[in-house]
Amino acid sequence: MVAMFQEDNGTSSVASSPLQVFSTMSLNRPTSFLASSSPFHCLKDLKPEERGLYLIHLLLTCANHVASGSLQNANAALEQLSHLASPDGDTMQRIAAYFTEALANRILKSWPGLYKALNATQTKTNVSEEIHVRRLFFEMFPILKVSYLLTNRAIIEAMEGEKMVHVIDLDASEPAQWLALIQAFNSRPEGPPHLRITGVHHQKEVLEQMAHRLIEEAEKLDIPFQFNPVLCRLDCLNVEQLRVKTGEALAVSSVLQLHNFLASDDDIMRKNCALRFQNNPSGVDLQRVLMMSHGSAPEAPENDMSNNNGHSPSGDSASSLPLPHSGRTDSFLNAIWGLSPKVMVVTEQDSDHNGSTLMERLLESLYTYAALFDCLETKVPRTSQDRIKVEKMLFGEEIKNIIACEGSERRERHEKLEKWSQRIDLAGFGNVPLSYYAMLQARRLLQGCGFDGYRIKEENGCAVICWQDRPLYSVSAWRCRK
């Protein structure tokens, strides 16, 4: 085993960074690393790099047992993980703590009564805490800063010469983006337009804070401005609520929102498959036939414990199928296309967390969250309570949703830019390459803020924000094809 991780000079090539740890490993399937379990008292004596490798293999082994329904072995792996993982340890210990919790939650969900009883007294995060954590993410990471800068630049360029501008924000949670846009419009040579911003959010307090900040800034600069709050969840939005008027030049901003629609698409596909199966006299599994008909070999079914919850043995994702031509995602994009926006800017996680099996999602999300936790390790002290809040309340909840949930409950269905480009193109939009000036500004922002380790690469006219070489988020601009 040791020889796997040795360089030619005999020294270890494994560093404490999770990305460096992962890069030395083949993660196609769990290995025999755990064939002989180490006594618990020996685990504490492991060096950080050895412990990191051991944690990864424990997680992979545990997930494999969970997927196959081997509860006794899964429990043994969880017990070892609990001795090594820690939400306030080094980077790998912190990551492992949240993946361990997610795997344990997945096991518990196979007994709905037990799961509900254990969670019956838990209180939901209040609105002010959610706002605070979102603000901490904005401050600790350059992701949203870059997204807002590129979005605003695309809007300003598309709205050149326009006198009536309407911007729709599909997640009106951060005033900073639109404060910067108001200031940018104010400095236009031809003067500012009449600006109307429609903010969509499901929390009244968030919209009220947004309205207050933006109206205050517009009044200070003497810019004609209106704020139209739409209090509802995005998946319940009726486009009539957006109040788009004739004569307005329309822009749409979607920041980390579109992937939520994929859960509804999955439910629709599941119901359609079930209906077609009922009407199929041969009893053939139509979903597997569909996969084969598009050249995609079906996996052997996992004997996943989610079967006890009425879930499909092979997982619940539609991502292994070709992109569907109907569903909530397409309906929503078609509705936005019907509004004829001059530009739509989309920011999404550039990760493949919508795999059809637990093991696929675990492997992909380990890479992504290793990068995100590594970002924090280089920027924020381990003892920082703000760091712990972001890791637990933001990343920890995302990990739990990706790993523990199935069906419509699994909303964190992050997908790669290539798939989003296909969907948006099918809805009638054409890509608008982000300008050289916009990309230059974004790179300068990273350099000026001291965010070492981040880089922005251009991909078919879109921006992909990376940590080292790991893609994390994408920003793309689109306009209607007539």
Side-chain angles (χ1 to χ4, degrees):
M1 170 64 193
V2 175
M4 284 179 58
F5 303 103
Q6 300 294 315
E7 293 177 336
D8 292 339
N9 61 8
T11 59
S12 173
S13 65
V14 178
S16 59
S17 164
L19 293 181
Q20 291 170 301
V21 171
F22 286 0
S23 68
T24 66
M25 301 175 64
S26 172
L27 293 181
N28 291 329
R29 60 182 66 248
T31 71
S32 57
F33 184 73
L34 298 176
S36 56
S37 298
S38 301
F40 290 160
H41 69 271
C42 295
L43 298 180
K44 298 292 186 183
D45 299 330
L46 293 173
K47 295 176 182 177
E49 59 269 23
E50 295 172 337
R51 183 175 58 220
L53 292 173
Y54 195 51
L55 281 167
I56 291 169
H57 279 280
L58 275 171
L59 287 170
L60 296 178
T61 300
C62 181
N64 201 42
H65 290 317
V66 171
S68 65
S70 179
L71 284 186
Q72 189 171 352
N73 289 329
N75 181 64
L78 286 172
E79 191 172 2
Q80 291 194 56
L81 281 163
S82 69
H83 279 77
L84 288 179
S86 169
D88 55 5
D90 65 26
T91 307
M92 274 312 308
Q93 287 178 300
R94 296 164 99 105
I95 295 166
Y98 293 108
F99 276 93
T100 300
E101 181 184 17
L103 287 166
N105 262 268
R106 188 178 178 94
I107 294 173
L108 283 175
K109 279 176 176 285
S110 60
W111 288 281
L114 178 62
Y115 178 79
K116 289 175 183 175
L118 287 173
N119 289 276
T121 58
Q122 286 194 1
T123 55
K124 290 185 177 180
T125 305
N126 63 44
V127 177
S128 59
E129 280 184 319
E130 287 185 17
I131 295 171
H132 180 56
V133 170
R134 176 86 177 204
R135 167 52 58 170
L136 290 174
F137 177 68
F138 177 78
E139 292 171 351
M140 291 180 183
F141 292 84
I143 310 297
L144 293 180
K145 294 181 180 71
V146 171
S147 166
Y148 296 161
L149 185 153
L150 292 172
T151 299
N152 284 358
R153 193 69 227 163
I155 292 172
I156 289 165
E157 290 169 5
M159 299 302 170
E160 186 176 353
E162 296 288 352
K163 293 187 168 119
M164 300 275 291
V165 174
H166 183 184
V167 179
I168 296 172
D169 182 357
L170 299 178
D171 178 43
S173 58
E174 179 51 66
Q177 177 177 9
W178 307 126
L179 291 172
L181 184 70
I182 290 170
Q183 291 158 8
F185 272 138
N186 188 54
S187 61
R188 282 201 319 185
E190 68 268 38
H194 183 287
L195 178 62
R196 190 155 67 96
I197 293 179
T198 293
V200 181
H201 205 276
H202 63 282
Q203 292 169 329
K204 186 178 179 182
E205 184 179 334
V206 172
L207 289 172
E208 287 174 346
Q209 289 187 21
M210 173 79 78
H212 174 74
R213 294 283 304 281
L214 300 188
I215 291 169
E216 185 178 56
E217 183 68 17
E219 287 177 347
K220 185 172 76 175
L221 297 175
D222 196 25
I223 290 177
F225 176 76
Q226 287 178 289
F227 183 75
N228 174 37
V230 177
L231 182 62
C232 77
R233 302 192 71 88
L234 188 59
D235 52 6
C236 299
L237 179 68
N238 184 326
V239 292
E240 298 297 324
Q241 296 172 276
L242 301 175
R243 294 161 52 190
V244 176
K245 299 175 182 176
T246 304
E248 291 179 327
L250 183 65
V252 178
S253 168
S254 174
V255 178
L256 310 181
Q257 294 304 301
L258 292 184
H259 66 266
N260 290 305
F261 285 104
L262 298 178
S264 300
D265 286 355
D266 180 65
D267 264 4
I268 291 168
M269 180 168 287
R270 183 186 291 279
K271 287 172 185 174
N272 287 343
C273 282
L275 184 62
R276 293 174 68 179
F277 183 79
Q278 288 174 5
N279 297 328
N280 179 22
S282 66
V284 176
D285 185 334
L286 288 174
Q287 188 167 357
R288 291 165 67 82
V289 171
L290 278 170
M291 291 171 68
M292 295 175 69
S293 70
H294 288 89
S296 178
E299 285 195 52
E302 284 187 12
N303 182 23
D304 204 315
M305 287 178 300
S306 60
N307 295 343
N308 296 332
N309 263 336
H311 294 305
S312 155
S314 60
D316 73 328
S317 172
S319 68
S320 54
L321 299 177
L323 291 175
H325 295 286
S326 62
R328 293 297 303 278
T329 311
D330 295 318
S331 297
F332 182 78
L333 289 171
N334 289 335
I336 295 297
W337 181 89
L339 299 175
S340 300
K342 287 196 76 173
V343 67
M344 176 177 73
V345 190
V346 175
T347 300
E348 279 293 333
Q349 290 91 340
D350 192 42
S351 305
D352 189 9
H353 298 159
N354 198 18
S356 60
T357 67
L358 171 62
M359 291 304 295
E360 284 180 90
R361 301 203 300 272
L362 181 94
L363 291 172
E364 287 295 327
S365 54
L366 266 174
Y367 274 111
T368 299
Y369 289 98
L372 290 168
F373 276 66
D374 205 27
C375 298
L376 286 175
E377 182 74 4
T378 62
K379 190 79 175 170
V380 188
R382 291 180 183 174
T383 54
S384 165
Q385 289 302 305
D386 286 343
R387 172 178 171 177
I388 292 171
K389 283 180 182 177
V390 170
E391 290 175 341
K392 178 178 177 60
M393 296 171 64
L394 184 60
F395 298 147
E397 289 303 308
E398 288 180 359
I399 291 167
K400 196 185 300 181
N401 190 267
I402 292 165
I403 300 301
C405 297
E406 296 292 355
S408 59
E409 190 183 3
R410 181 162 64 83
R411 299 183 65 82
E412 299 297 340
R413 294 171 178 258
H414 313 146
E415 294 194 339
K416 299 290 286 181
L417 172 62
E418 182 183 2
K419 280 194 175 181
W420 284 115
S421 296
Q422 290 177 43
R423 282 192 180 90
I424 297 169
D425 182 79
L426 285 170
F429 291 89
N431 180 246
V432 180
L434 297 169
S435 70
Y436 172 81
Y437 182 62
M439 296 290 280
L440 182 65
Q441 278 191 313
R443 291 189 173 104
R444 283 177 176 170
L445 185 153
L446 289 181
Q447 294 168 359
C449 295
F451 288 111
D452 297 331
Y454 291 95
R455 67 187 187 90
I456 299 173
K457 66 177 183 177
E458 187 272 337
E459 189 174 307
N460 298 320
C462 309
V464 179
I465 306 165
C466 306
W467 171 252
Q468 309 297 357
D469 292 323
R470 181 70 185 178
L472 294 177
Y473 295 83
S474 67
V475 184
S476 56
W478 306 84
R479 63 169 163 246
C480 292
R481 290 197 307 267
K482 297 302 180 185

